[in-house]
Amino acid sequence: MKNWESVKLGDLYEVHNGLSKGGKFFGSGYPFLTFSTVFNNYFLPEELTDFVQSTEKERESYSILRGDVFVTRTSETSDELGMSCVALKDYPNATYNGFTKRMRPITDRVLPEYIGYYMRMPSFRGEFQAFSTMTTRASLKNEDLLSLEVKLPEIGEQKRIAGILSAYDALILNNQKQIKLLEEAAQRLYKEWFVNLRFPGHENAEIVDGVPVGWKKEKLIDIADVQYGYAFDGSLFNTQKDGMPIIRIRNIPSGITSDFTTEEADAQYIIHNGDIVVGMDGEFHINSWCGDDSYLVQRTCCMKPRNNGMKGWFLTAIYEPIKYFEKTVVGATVAHLGKKHIDTITLLTGTSELYVPFQRMFEKRQLLLNQNRLLCEARDRILPKLMSGEIKL
């Protein structure tokens, strides 16, 4: 590091724990910042797409304002602690998850964009490992968090560093917006053709028992192979890139991973770029993988249509059935998607030409996802060099 001032987080922030509520309160109400969103993002997204039924007092106590830093505070493994995500604007009526902590600024000495990048450096992230207290879960104490020190240059230099890094994120955000538009277009087309049955030529189509002639109602497991994840030994997981990359539930929303294992498994558990992966605990995330070949970990699954030309359609078609189970399956502490649920999913399949526009949108979406992976890697390579002064500004 340059000769910058070392400052304890406790001199910059005050810390508060998040909102904890029962499962019946989620899915409607006011915006809610989840553990997964904090884990997978340097900065809060423009909109929070999860919701919770919260009271006016809760929204006041657990508010989200520009400059707030959210840190994961408890998880099943210590390497999930201390992942941070920073708010770059106010989020009216929003609250944040009880498995996270909020650090609210008590000074204007630190730029939100700067601290957002600083706290994601691997060297800084490594400091959380020493503070994890393991009982049945890893946890992070307030006093330990606030005792950590960060290097602070003057505000002008913070802005210059953040400006260089944010150029990458601006490109990533633009791609994410295009990805969302493609997903929305695919969902609209699916509803029009496969739900409302207003597909090309529907005016002259013969309908028998609610199904156009030539179409079928088919079980998901009859048109796709479902591979469930392997029960790896969690003690062999690492973030030091030792061994083979692994796909855990937390990696699915971004489609990439920084998690590895030194354990070996059969080739059937290897997932490739473009494969469709689904999380099976809590939030049943659905995405196409955009990382390197990786092992699939327990409580995740991969769904591969036997006709590869159906992949784009299939990714769109499974969304509603799986999200239905996310809302209705109830577990002791968290919802679990099981083989018994997946085996019941039935999809309406049509003629082969109807899958073509979905496949084109899928390929465009996958290209953007792969571009974002490369942008993230480039940003993360330059981050420690900027923070250490190796790159002169």
Side-chain angles (χ1 to χ4, degrees):
M1 292 283 182
K2 288 183 176 181
N3 190 25
W4 294 336
E5 183 181 6
S6 292
V7 184
K8 288 185 177 181
L9 288 176
D11 294 329
L12 303 170
Y13 299 94
E14 57 184 15
V15 65
H16 307 90
N17 290 338
L19 175 64
S20 297
K21 304 200 79 167
K24 66 179 180 181
F25 293 99
F26 292 95
S28 63
Y30 296 92
F32 186 67
L33 176 60
T34 65
F35 181 100
S36 177
T37 300
V38 172
F39 189 93
N40 286 296
N41 295 275
Y42 281 40
F43 302 98
L44 270 67
E46 282 291 312
E47 295 182 13
L48 300 179
T49 56
D50 295 279
F51 297 90
V52 68
Q53 298 171 37
S54 55
T55 66
E56 183 177 354
K57 184 176 180 180
E58 287 170 338
R59 295 192 294 276
E60 180 180 347
S61 298
Y62 304 101
S63 60
I64 301 177
L65 303 177
R66 171 173 166 79
D68 286 347
V69 181
F70 297 90
V71 181
T72 56
R73 74 174 184 88
T74 180
S75 190
E76 293 180 357
T77 58
S78 61
D79 63 312
E80 294 185 347
L81 295 180
M83 294 296 281
S84 59
C85 186
V86 179
L88 298 183
K89 67 174 186 178
D90 295 351
Y91 289 77
N93 296 316
T95 55
Y96 60 100
N97 188 280
F99 292 130
T100 66
K101 295 178 183 289
R102 181 190 66 195
M103 298 197 309
R104 175 151 288 174
I106 55 176
T107 175
D108 58 3
R109 296 173 62 191
V110 60
L111 187 72
E113 290 83 352
Y114 175 83
I115 200 68
Y117 291 116
Y118 188 99
M119 290 185 65
R120 281 281 184 156
M121 282 195 304
S123 58
F124 185 78
R125 286 268 305 112
E127 298 189 38
F128 286 94
Q129 304 301 310
F131 291 141
S132 67
T133 56
M134 296 292 294
T135 51
T136 56
R137 295 176 67 88
S139 61
L140 180 66
K141 297 179 180 178
N142 289 353
E143 57 267 29
D144 290 334
L145 175 60
L146 295 178
S147 71
L148 292 174
E149 293 186 348
V150 297
K151 295 285 188 179
L152 279 190
E154 50 87 19
I155 284 291
E157 191 154 12
Q158 290 183 40
K159 289 181 179 178
R160 288 191 290 274
I161 291 171
I164 292 171
L165 295 166
S166 64
Y168 290 92
D169 282 328
L171 293 172
I172 292 169
L173 179 60
N174 183 59
N175 283 349
Q176 288 172 337
K177 289 178 178 178
Q178 293 184 61
I179 290 168
K180 184 177 181 181
L181 289 174
L182 286 168
E183 291 171 343
E184 291 173 347
Q187 286 291 345
R188 286 195 299 271
L189 188 63
Y190 181 82
K191 183 177 180 181
E192 182 74 0
W193 288 5
F194 288 86
V195 178
N196 298 328
L197 298 183
R198 289 196 288 263
F199 52 91
H202 72 277
E203 303 93 339
N204 302 316
E206 182 182 356
I207 307 295
V208 178
D209 294 330
V211 177
V213 171
W215 293 36
K216 297 179 182 178
K217 288 184 178 179
E218 299 188 77
K219 292 281 190 180
L220 182 155
I221 55 175
D222 291 332
I223 61 175
D225 296 315
V226 181
Q227 176 63 60
Y228 296 94
Y230 182 72
F232 286 93
D233 181 352
S235 67
L236 299 177
F237 292 171
N238 68 88
T239 56
Q240 287 73 49
K241 299 186 177 181
D242 188 9
M244 180 84 167
I246 55 174
I247 302 172
R248 304 167 70 177
I249 290 174
R250 70 189 196 187
N251 306 127
I252 292 177
S254 64
I256 56 178
T257 185
S258 58
D259 300 314
F260 289 73
T261 183
T262 53
E263 186 176 358
E264 294 185 2
D266 191 85
Q268 72 186 70
Y269 299 105
I270 297 177
I271 302 305
H272 309 290
N273 191 291
D275 285 347
I276 295 170
V277 287
V278 179
M280 301 176 67
D281 272 348
E283 300 171 74
F284 303 159
H285 300 299
I286 307 165
N287 203 356
S288 55
W289 190 244
C290 59
D292 296 327
D293 286 1
S294 306
Y295 281 138
L296 192 66
V297 173
Q298 191 177 35
R299 305 309 307 157
T300 62
C301 69
C302 174
M303 299 182 178
K304 295 184 179 182
R306 291 168 192 158
N307 177 354
N308 197 54
M310 296 174 66
K311 186 182 288 187
W313 168 86
F314 185 84
L315 177 65
T316 306
I318 63 173
Y319 183 84
E320 284 298 330
I322 289 176
K323 288 299 178 180
Y324 168 80
F325 286 123
E326 180 180 288
K327 295 174 183 177
T328 58
V329 173
V330 179
T333 56
V334 65
H336 299 284
L337 178 67
K339 181 180 183 297
K340 66 179 181 180
H341 304 112
I342 292 173
D343 286 353
T344 67
I345 295 176
T346 300
L347 302 173
L348 181 62
T349 59
T351 51
S352 59
E353 68 272 9
L354 297 180
Y355 304 131
V356 174
F358 293 96
Q359 192 65 13
R360 288 173 180 164
M361 286 187 278
F362 176 86
E363 289 169 358
K364 291 179 181 178
R365 178 184 182 274
Q366 194 65 26
L367 178 63
L368 291 167
L369 285 169
N370 287 330
Q371 288 177 355
N372 274 1
R373 174 174 64 88
L374 296 176
L375 286 167
C376 286
E377 290 173 355
R379 178 199 61 199
D380 292 348
R381 282 195 301 269
I382 198 175
L383 171 57
K385 295 179 180 180
L386 284 169
M387 295 298 182
S388 67
E390 182 180 339
I391 295 178
K392 306 295 182 182
L393 300 179

